[in-house]
Amino acid sequence: MSAEDLNIDPHIDRAAEVLARGGLVAFATETVYGLGADATNAIAVARIFEVKGRPRFDPLIVHAGSAEQAARCAATWPDAAAQLASRFWPGPLTLVLPRRPGVIPDIVTAGLRTVAIRVPDHPLATALLKRARVPVAAPSANRFGAVSPTTAEHVRESLGSEVDLVLDGGPCRCGVESTIVSLAGENPTLLRPGALALEEIEAVIGPVALPPVGSASAPLAPGMLARHYATHTPIVFADAVRSGLNTARCGRLAFTGADDEKTYGAVELLSPRGDLREAAAGLFAAMRRLDARSLDAIIADRFPNVGLGRAINDRLARASVR
Ligand code: TXA
Ligand code: MG
């Protein structure tokens, strides 16, 4: 969809005004909907934390309209950053870099000496960022710990009137959050698997270290808590289900299909043709639909641990922690 197709201009003007006066704008990106505030306005950013119920130790991603604007937030711009930015921005990749003092206030980075930045790839987000002329701090537009929104309707359901304006750009193309890579340490490190496959990143900069396993009390990336993306209904991996389950009271979240589909109370097939991108794009909406059925449990497939399957398994694993 181009900016013209979306007929966005009047909305973008209003959204930029809302940001300029310190308000909150939820907006479509290619990954999930973001809850944005002017990243240079500490008071506006504080409202993001309040509205989400997000702990202050969990830093936000800064969204920029161009790689140049993004680089101005960082103290260094190593070759790997230049290579990844030119290959994948705009797109679903977040880079963590040493932070340049005096550009982004402490509240955005939770006082860390690093900053997470990305240039999103959605005509609405691009138009907003260009018009606003400031970087925009934006977490996913859901309450802390809940399933991320992939439609404007999801945003309204979870945040309602607490958002000043919602820029509806239709369902998000990727459906899972950006991949986060830290370039702030000795070696490039994957902090969060996401919508850009690790294999694609490694094809550009070589091996990326997988994070040492963090614990719930001392997670590696501050926001990577064990339990996250959680539905109210317990999620259990199919390979961990004990026998004797009343499947009629359970939902089934499957990749291509399941042998015993008909016995379940509700079934969501994420991609009958076995496409991990399609599965990722529909994951959160399917989790929400199953959650709305008041079932006893959601039984989920474990996905192949390649490409977007990594991000899907990560989200399901965090959702399954009780
Ligand atoms: O696709 C996305 O990345 C979406 C859209 C809206 O852009 N945003 C998103 O934001 O997923 P959020 O707040 O839900 O997740 C941001 C993650 C958190 O786990 C946070 O801890 C981590 O990024 N993060 C932010 N700044 C960091 C930093 N300086 N170092 C390490 N991790 C950081
Ligand atoms: Mg989030």
Side-chain angles (χ1 to χ4, degrees), residues 64-102:
S66 67
E68 294 68 39
Q69 188 187 40
R72 281 198 286 277
C73 302
T76 61
W77 196 245
D79 287 346
Q83 287 165 354
L84 291 174
S86 82
R87 176 73 182 79
F88 297 118
W89 280 353
L93 172 68
T94 295
L95 297 178
V96 171
L97 287 154
R99 160 188 179 201
R100 179 175 301 186

Side-chain angles (χ1 to χ4, degrees), residues 151-209:
T151 67
E153 197 49 45
H154 294 162
V155 176
R156 292 189 197 101
E157 275 164 27
S158 68
L159 300 178
S161 59
E162 297 199 77
V163 185
D164 299 308
L165 194 136
V166 181
L167 284 177
D168 186 347
C172 299
R173 169 167 63 80
C174 300
V176 291
E177 297 81 354
S178 61
T179 302
I180 307 181
V181 172
S182 173
L183 300 175
E186 229 161 87
N187 301 307
T189 303
L190 180 73
L191 298 186
R192 176 176 73 183
L196 180 65
L198 181 63
E199 293 87 339
E200 288 201 56
I201 296 168
E202 291 190 321
V204 175
I205 58 165
V208 173

Side-chain angles (χ1 to χ4, degrees), residues 226-249:
R227 179 173 163 78
H228 214 86
Y229 311 103
T231 47
H232 299 286
T233 315
I235 291 192
V236 186
F237 279 111
D239 57 21
V241 169
R242 24 169 196 69
S243 56
L245 191 78
N246 178 6
T247 50
R249 293 283 319 139

Side-chain angles (χ1 to χ4, degrees), residues 31 34 54 58-59 61 63 114 116 118 139-140 177-178 180 192 223:
T31 58
R54 180 178 179 118
D58 189 2
I61 295 173
H63 296 67
T114 55
R118 91 174 186 99
S140 50
E177 297 81 354
S178 61
I180 307 181
R192 176 176 73 183

